[in-house]
Amino acid sequence: MPSGARASSLKLLGAAVVAWDPAVSEVGVDTGYSPAPGMLRAPDVAVGNVPAALPGWAPGTPALAIEYAEVGHDEARLSQKIRDLLGAGTRWLWIVRLGAPRHVEVHAPHEPPRRVFPGDWLRAPGVLQNPVPVEALYDRAAAQQALLASLLQREGYASLASLRQQGLREGRCEGLRRAVRDVCDALGVALPSEEEASLLELDGPALAALLARLKRERRWPLP
């Protein structure tokens, strides 16, 4: 059966959050899996074993499956789906309960299910690199923050704060480079070619030291 309006929009949020985790390369929505002859199961979100180049149903199961359970969900069919996926190889299965109070049920093979509530984190070792805030699976603002953190990590930044700090450092270095060139222009001197070429490679302290040396050697009158 198709998803309701609320569940269909929320599972896209969840899919985006896990899709851009730095450890993830394959994600699908409503992917059909056939782990055994005559069996077909389609989790709302699947992470791992989503062969994009393979036509038809995917063999086996995903490493992580996410299901969105609305109020009035068919619990008997959901329980069977959980047993089938875990029994066929799924390592983690998260059930996002959209009724009050919202929470996520975590299922894993040979472990009792447990509930994780807003304010806590979901983890899938060996599948996801980053823990996922419970709210990120259904709240747009929380999903955006989790997605941004993963995208920055994919580009080599530990966090948004580290990106801002790097920008501040680069801005300060650029200001020092301009100061070095301004001093040289005012004094009517040219930097040796090797020093001119090295300006782009020097960090803040090295640029400040070069600027101080130029002022000292040329008796620059300003402080």
Side-chain angles (χ1 to χ4, degrees):
M1 294 293 291
S3 299
R6 178 168 67 170
S8 66
S9 63
L10 295 183
K11 71 182 178 182
L12 286 178
L13 290 182
V17 168
V18 296
W20 294 106
D21 181 274
V24 171
S25 59
E26 296 180 334
V27 172
V29 175
D30 292 330
T31 305
Y33 287 90
S34 181
M39 180 185 293
L40 181 65
R41 297 292 179 264
D44 290 337
V45 179
V47 181
N49 189 27
V50 187
L54 183 67
W57 310 126
T61 61
L64 166 65
I66 305 175
E67 285 286 317
Y68 283 80
E70 268 287 13
V71 177
H73 203 85
D74 189 328
E75 292 297 326
R77 296 185 66 177
L78 179 59
S79 295
Q80 185 63 52
K81 192 174 188 178
I82 293 170
R83 289 193 296 270
D84 290 341
L85 288 172
L86 294 182
T90 293
R91 298 172 60 183
W92 305 95
L93 200 154
W94 298 345
I95 309 297
V96 184
R97 295 288 183 177
L98 299 179
R102 285 191 175 180
H103 63 280
V104 176
E105 288 177 6
V106 177
H107 298 260
H110 314 300
E111 294 182 13
R114 57 189 178 86
R115 297 194 295 175
V116 185
F117 290 91
D120 210 340
W121 300 80
L122 297 158
R123 293 173 173 82
V127 181
L128 301 179
Q129 174 177 307
N130 296 331
V132 177
V134 168
E135 299 92 326
L137 295 181
Y138 56 79
D139 179 80
R140 192 175 186 87
Q144 178 176 304
Q145 291 299 313
L147 177 57
L148 177 59
S150 291
L151 288 172
L152 288 172
Q153 289 173 10
R154 281 178 172 262
E155 294 299 322
Y157 301 102
S159 64
L160 182 58
S162 68
L163 177 60
R164 287 171 175 162
Q165 289 172 0
Q166 179 172 326
L168 290 173
R169 287 194 300 269
E170 291 177 352
R172 183 172 184 273
C173 287
E174 181 57 30
L176 287 170
R177 291 187 188 102
R178 291 179 182 176
V180 169
R181 294 189 176 100
D182 289 345
V183 166
C184 291
D185 289 343
L187 294 172
V189 297
L191 280 175
S193 58
E194 63 274 9
E195 287 189 331
E196 176 67 31
S198 68
L199 279 180
L200 294 177
E201 300 176 2
L202 297 178
D203 58 12
L207 283 166
L210 175 58
L211 180 59
R213 180 172 64 81
L214 285 171
K215 291 179 178 181
R216 183 175 62 252
E217 291 178 355
R218 301 296 175 174
R219 298 183 180 179
W220 184 242
L222 297 180

